[in-house]
Amino acid sequence: MQQNIILIGFMGTGKSTIGRHLSQTFGYSLIDTDQMIVDQQGRSISQIFADDGEEGFRRIEAELLQSLSNQSGQIISTGGGIIGSSENRALLRKLGYVVWLQASPSEILERTSRNSNRPLLDNDDPEGTIRRLLDLRVPLYRETAHLCIETDQLNFDEVTTGIIESARYFFAAQQ
Ligand code: S3P
């Protein structure tokens, strides 16, 4: 298994922000899969969905994940739907210590309503969409993660500290 920390979880659970904190504190460099896709494609996530549909986006996302498979010493923050395929789930666990950031539907709604760059929630019923997608995805996040952190009542420092301590134990036990 590679020595990376991988953040998974629904949109709006703080993966990018926690990823930045972790990278500064742990001294690992930061990879954000959505940002890499935007940089490589020269298109926003919304534009990719508009041009190629969700299916096209998932193909690009899966290829990117495969290209990371020999990396080590990275914090890898992922898009919320990356756990959809069993190939991706297996790859994520090979990449290292997988941390699932969890938040309640109301917290997710509040955090995601602050910007409009999430095509899957750009409809008349974002709350219903969040609940429906969570029902489908929670078992997949659970099956993929080594650690789950419930973030509603914690600040970013508390989440970061919890991840760092448990990741140290995890990596030490692997040696
Ligand atoms: C998606 C989450 C987004 C992005 C895309 C699809 C999803 O990433 O990959 O809009 O299916 O949940 P974030 O979780 O970083 O918002």
PDB file of all heavy atoms in Angstrom, residues 10-11 15 34 45 49 57-58 61 78-81 118-120 137, ligand 1:
ATOM      1  N   PHE A  10     -18.899  13.434   0.861  1.00  0.00           N
ATOM      2  CA  PHE A  10     -19.849  14.138   0.016  1.00  0.00           C
ATOM      3  C   PHE A  10     -19.382  15.573  -0.258  1.00  0.00           C
ATOM      4  O   PHE A  10     -18.528  16.101   0.458  1.00  0.00           O
ATOM      5  CB  PHE A  10     -21.219  14.162   0.727  1.00  0.00           C
ATOM      6  CG  PHE A  10     -22.372  14.284  -0.215  1.00  0.00           C
ATOM      7  CD1 PHE A  10     -22.820  13.196  -0.932  1.00  0.00           C
ATOM      8  CD2 PHE A  10     -23.020  15.509  -0.396  1.00  0.00           C
ATOM      9  CE1 PHE A  10     -23.882  13.313  -1.818  1.00  0.00           C
ATOM     10  CE2 PHE A  10     -24.077  15.636  -1.273  1.00  0.00           C
ATOM     11  CZ  PHE A  10     -24.517  14.534  -1.989  1.00  0.00           C
ATOM     12  N   MET A  11     -19.976  16.175  -1.304  1.00  0.00           N
ATOM     13  CA  MET A  11     -19.725  17.596  -1.577  1.00  0.00           C
ATOM     14  C   MET A  11     -19.990  18.417  -0.314  1.00  0.00           C
ATOM     15  O   MET A  11     -20.930  18.136   0.425  1.00  0.00           O
ATOM     16  CB  MET A  11     -20.704  18.101  -2.665  1.00  0.00           C
ATOM     17  CG  MET A  11     -20.530  17.442  -3.996  1.00  0.00           C
ATOM     18  SD  MET A  11     -21.834  17.914  -5.177  1.00  0.00           S
ATOM     19  CE  MET A  11     -22.939  16.503  -5.082  1.00  0.00           C
ATOM     20  N   LYS A  15     -13.463  18.669   2.311  1.00  0.00           N
ATOM     21  CA  LYS A  15     -12.272  17.906   1.885  1.00  0.00           C
ATOM     22  C   LYS A  15     -11.138  18.817   1.420  1.00  0.00           C
ATOM     23  O   LYS A  15      -9.983  18.613   1.795  1.00  0.00           O
ATOM     24  CB  LYS A  15     -12.645  16.940   0.739  1.00  0.00           C
ATOM     25  CG  LYS A  15     -13.520  15.781   1.180  1.00  0.00           C
ATOM     26  CD  LYS A  15     -14.141  15.102  -0.032  1.00  0.00           C
ATOM     27  CE  LYS A  15     -15.129  16.034  -0.681  1.00  0.00           C
ATOM     28  NZ  LYS A  15     -15.788  15.599  -1.871  1.00  0.00           N
ATOM     29  N   ASP A  34     -10.374  17.209  -8.328  1.00  0.00           N
ATOM     30  CA  ASP A  34     -11.197  18.117  -9.154  1.00  0.00           C
ATOM     31  C   ASP A  34     -10.327  19.207  -9.779  1.00  0.00           C
ATOM     32  O   ASP A  34     -10.469  19.529 -10.955  1.00  0.00           O
ATOM     33  CB  ASP A  34     -12.278  18.791  -8.295  1.00  0.00           C
ATOM     34  CG  ASP A  34     -13.473  17.877  -8.055  1.00  0.00           C
ATOM     35  OD1 ASP A  34     -13.601  16.856  -8.747  1.00  0.00           O
ATOM     36  OD2 ASP A  34     -14.286  18.209  -7.173  1.00  0.00           O
ATOM     37  N   ILE A  45     -15.535  22.160 -13.975  1.00  0.00           N
ATOM     38  CA  ILE A  45     -16.293  20.914 -13.768  1.00  0.00           C
ATOM     39  C   ILE A  45     -17.686  21.059 -14.418  1.00  0.00           C
ATOM     40  O   ILE A  45     -18.162  20.141 -15.092  1.00  0.00           O
ATOM     41  CB  ILE A  45     -16.448  20.615 -12.252  1.00  0.00           C
ATOM     42  CG1 ILE A  45     -15.092  20.519 -11.561  1.00  0.00           C
ATOM     43  CG2 ILE A  45     -17.297  19.367 -12.026  1.00  0.00           C
ATOM     44  CD1 ILE A  45     -14.327  19.256 -11.762  1.00  0.00           C
ATOM     45  N   PHE A  49     -19.325  18.647 -17.345  1.00  0.00           N
ATOM     46  CA  PHE A  49     -20.646  18.002 -17.246  1.00  0.00           C
ATOM     47  C   PHE A  49     -21.530  18.428 -18.417  1.00  0.00           C
ATOM     48  O   PHE A  49     -22.250  17.612 -18.982  1.00  0.00           O
ATOM     49  CB  PHE A  49     -21.336  18.366 -15.919  1.00  0.00           C
ATOM     50  CG  PHE A  49     -21.069  17.418 -14.786  1.00  0.00           C
ATOM     51  CD1 PHE A  49     -19.820  17.357 -14.188  1.00  0.00           C
ATOM     52  CD2 PHE A  49     -22.068  16.582 -14.288  1.00  0.00           C
ATOM     53  CE1 PHE A  49     -19.563  16.484 -13.130  1.00  0.00           C
ATOM     54  CE2 PHE A  49     -21.830  15.707 -13.224  1.00  0.00           C
ATOM     55  CZ  PHE A  49     -20.579  15.663 -12.650  1.00  0.00           C
ATOM     56  N   PHE A  57     -17.394  12.894 -17.347  1.00  0.00           N
ATOM     57  CA  PHE A  57     -16.617  13.345 -16.193  1.00  0.00           C
ATOM     58  C   PHE A  57     -16.059  12.158 -15.414  1.00  0.00           C
ATOM     59  O   PHE A  57     -14.894  12.153 -14.992  1.00  0.00           O
ATOM     60  CB  PHE A  57     -17.495  14.223 -15.283  1.00  0.00           C
ATOM     61  CG  PHE A  57     -16.811  14.626 -14.007  1.00  0.00           C
ATOM     62  CD1 PHE A  57     -15.861  15.630 -13.995  1.00  0.00           C
ATOM     63  CD2 PHE A  57     -17.096  13.969 -12.807  1.00  0.00           C
ATOM     64  CE1 PHE A  57     -15.198  15.985 -12.825  1.00  0.00           C
ATOM     65  CE2 PHE A  57     -16.443  14.305 -11.628  1.00  0.00           C
ATOM     66  CZ  PHE A  57     -15.491  15.321 -11.639  1.00  0.00           C
ATOM     67  N   ARG A  58     -16.893  11.120 -15.234  1.00  0.00           N
ATOM     68  CA  ARG A  58     -16.431   9.949 -14.453  1.00  0.00           C
ATOM     69  C   ARG A  58     -15.274   9.228 -15.150  1.00  0.00           C
ATOM     70  O   ARG A  58     -14.392   8.689 -14.488  1.00  0.00           O
ATOM     71  CB  ARG A  58     -17.586   8.958 -14.233  1.00  0.00           C
ATOM     72  CG  ARG A  58     -18.730   9.470 -13.395  1.00  0.00           C
ATOM     73  CD  ARG A  58     -18.342   9.794 -11.969  1.00  0.00           C
ATOM     74  NE  ARG A  58     -19.401  10.545 -11.298  1.00  0.00           N
ATOM     75  CZ  ARG A  58     -19.200  11.415 -10.326  1.00  0.00           C
ATOM     76  NH1 ARG A  58     -17.996  11.669  -9.867  1.00  0.00           N
ATOM     77  NH2 ARG A  58     -20.203  12.057  -9.790  1.00  0.00           N
ATOM     78  N   GLU A  61     -12.234  11.283 -14.429  1.00  0.00           N
ATOM     79  CA  GLU A  61     -11.894  11.144 -13.005  1.00  0.00           C
ATOM     80  C   GLU A  61     -11.207   9.791 -12.741  1.00  0.00           C
ATOM     81  O   GLU A  61     -10.196   9.722 -12.028  1.00  0.00           O
ATOM     82  CB  GLU A  61     -13.196  11.266 -12.198  1.00  0.00           C
ATOM     83  CG  GLU A  61     -13.033  11.305 -10.699  1.00  0.00           C
ATOM     84  CD  GLU A  61     -14.390  11.466  -9.998  1.00  0.00           C
ATOM     85  OE1 GLU A  61     -15.328  10.686 -10.290  1.00  0.00           O
ATOM     86  OE2 GLU A  61     -14.514  12.379  -9.166  1.00  0.00           O
ATOM     87  N   THR A  78     -10.509  14.245  -2.865  1.00  0.00           N
ATOM     88  CA  THR A  78     -11.206  13.699  -4.041  1.00  0.00           C
ATOM     89  C   THR A  78     -12.605  14.307  -4.228  1.00  0.00           C
ATOM     90  O   THR A  78     -13.188  14.834  -3.270  1.00  0.00           O
ATOM     91  CB  THR A  78     -11.371  12.166  -3.884  1.00  0.00           C
ATOM     92  OG1 THR A  78     -12.149  11.908  -2.706  1.00  0.00           O
ATOM     93  CG2 THR A  78     -10.029  11.464  -3.771  1.00  0.00           C
ATOM     94  N   GLY A  79     -13.145  14.187  -5.415  1.00  0.00           N
ATOM     95  CA  GLY A  79     -14.525  14.604  -5.681  1.00  0.00           C
ATOM     96  C   GLY A  79     -15.500  13.633  -5.010  1.00  0.00           C
ATOM     97  O   GLY A  79     -15.209  12.442  -4.882  1.00  0.00           O
ATOM     98  N   GLY A  80     -16.667  14.155  -4.601  1.00  0.00           N
ATOM     99  CA  GLY A  80     -17.608  13.373  -3.796  1.00  0.00           C
ATOM    100  C   GLY A  80     -18.138  12.101  -4.431  1.00  0.00           C
ATOM    101  O   GLY A  80     -18.570  11.192  -3.731  1.00  0.00           O
ATOM    102  N   GLY A  81     -18.089  12.023  -5.775  1.00  0.00           N
ATOM    103  CA  GLY A  81     -18.670  10.857  -6.440  1.00  0.00           C
ATOM    104  C   GLY A  81     -17.651   9.813  -6.850  1.00  0.00           C
ATOM    105  O   GLY A  81     -17.986   8.825  -7.512  1.00  0.00           O
ATOM    106  N   ARG A 118     -21.412  23.283  -8.550  1.00  0.00           N
ATOM    107  CA  ARG A 118     -21.644  21.838  -8.437  1.00  0.00           C
ATOM    108  C   ARG A 118     -22.836  21.442  -9.301  1.00  0.00           C
ATOM    109  O   ARG A 118     -23.992  21.550  -8.878  1.00  0.00           O
ATOM    110  CB  ARG A 118     -21.869  21.479  -6.972  1.00  0.00           C
ATOM    111  CG  ARG A 118     -20.568  21.648  -6.164  1.00  0.00           C
ATOM    112  CD  ARG A 118     -20.719  21.159  -4.786  1.00  0.00           C
ATOM    113  NE  ARG A 118     -19.473  21.078  -4.079  1.00  0.00           N
ATOM    114  CZ  ARG A 118     -19.032  22.013  -3.229  1.00  0.00           C
ATOM    115  NH1 ARG A 118     -19.707  23.121  -3.033  1.00  0.00           N
ATOM    116  NH2 ARG A 118     -17.893  21.822  -2.584  1.00  0.00           N
ATOM    117  N   PRO A 119     -22.534  20.959 -10.516  1.00  0.00           N
ATOM    118  CA  PRO A 119     -23.611  20.696 -11.473  1.00  0.00           C
ATOM    119  C   PRO A 119     -24.682  19.736 -10.955  1.00  0.00           C
ATOM    120  O   PRO A 119     -25.855  19.889 -11.276  1.00  0.00           O
ATOM    121  CB  PRO A 119     -22.876  20.116 -12.689  1.00  0.00           C
ATOM    122  CG  PRO A 119     -21.478  19.828 -12.251  1.00  0.00           C
ATOM    123  CD  PRO A 119     -21.193  20.691 -11.078  1.00  0.00           C
ATOM    124  N   LEU A 120     -24.301  18.774 -10.102  1.00  0.00           N
ATOM    125  CA  LEU A 120     -25.291  17.795  -9.642  1.00  0.00           C
ATOM    126  C   LEU A 120     -26.338  18.431  -8.720  1.00  0.00           C
ATOM    127  O   LEU A 120     -27.434  17.894  -8.559  1.00  0.00           O
ATOM    128  CB  LEU A 120     -24.599  16.639  -8.903  1.00  0.00           C
ATOM    129  CG  LEU A 120     -23.806  15.662  -9.769  1.00  0.00           C
ATOM    130  CD1 LEU A 120     -23.136  14.607  -8.902  1.00  0.00           C
ATOM    131  CD2 LEU A 120     -24.710  14.997 -10.790  1.00  0.00           C
ATOM    132  N   ARG A 137     -24.731   6.674  -1.553  1.00  0.00           N
ATOM    133  CA  ARG A 137     -23.269   6.712  -1.396  1.00  0.00           C
ATOM    134  C   ARG A 137     -22.750   6.342  -0.012  1.00  0.00           C
ATOM    135  O   ARG A 137     -21.612   5.883   0.101  1.00  0.00           O
ATOM    136  CB  ARG A 137     -22.752   8.119  -1.735  1.00  0.00           C
ATOM    137  CG  ARG A 137     -22.876   8.435  -3.205  1.00  0.00           C
ATOM    138  CD  ARG A 137     -22.345   9.824  -3.468  1.00  0.00           C
ATOM    139  NE  ARG A 137     -22.420  10.190  -4.866  1.00  0.00           N
ATOM    140  CZ  ARG A 137     -22.073  11.375  -5.325  1.00  0.00           C
ATOM    141  NH1 ARG A 137     -21.614  12.292  -4.494  1.00  0.00           N
ATOM    142  NH2 ARG A 137     -22.166  11.651  -6.613  1.00  0.00           N
TER     143      ARG A 137
HETATM  144  C1  S3P B   1     -19.260  15.510  -7.397  1.00  0.00           C
HETATM  145  C2  S3P B   1     -18.525  16.251  -6.488  1.00  0.00           C
HETATM  146  C3  S3P B   1     -17.673  17.369  -6.894  1.00  0.00           C
HETATM  147  C4  S3P B   1     -17.195  17.191  -8.345  1.00  0.00           C
HETATM  148  C5  S3P B   1     -18.353  16.968  -9.242  1.00  0.00           C
HETATM  149  C6  S3P B   1     -19.184  15.733  -8.864  1.00  0.00           C
HETATM  150  C7  S3P B   1     -20.146  14.428  -6.883  1.00  0.00           C
HETATM  151  O1  S3P B   1     -16.533  17.451  -6.031  1.00  0.00           O
HETATM  152  O2  S3P B   1     -16.281  16.122  -8.438  1.00  0.00           O
HETATM  153  O3  S3P B   1     -19.168  18.119  -9.212  1.00  0.00           O
HETATM  154  O4  S3P B   1     -20.572  13.584  -7.678  1.00  0.00           O
HETATM  155  O5  S3P B   1     -20.404  14.406  -5.651  1.00  0.00           O
HETATM  156  P1  S3P B   1     -16.642  17.981  -4.493  1.00  0.00           P
HETATM  157  O6  S3P B   1     -17.050  16.823  -3.651  1.00  0.00           O
HETATM  158  O7  S3P B   1     -15.234  18.419  -4.205  1.00  0.00           O
HETATM  159  O8  S3P B   1     -17.614  19.105  -4.478  1.00  0.00           O
END
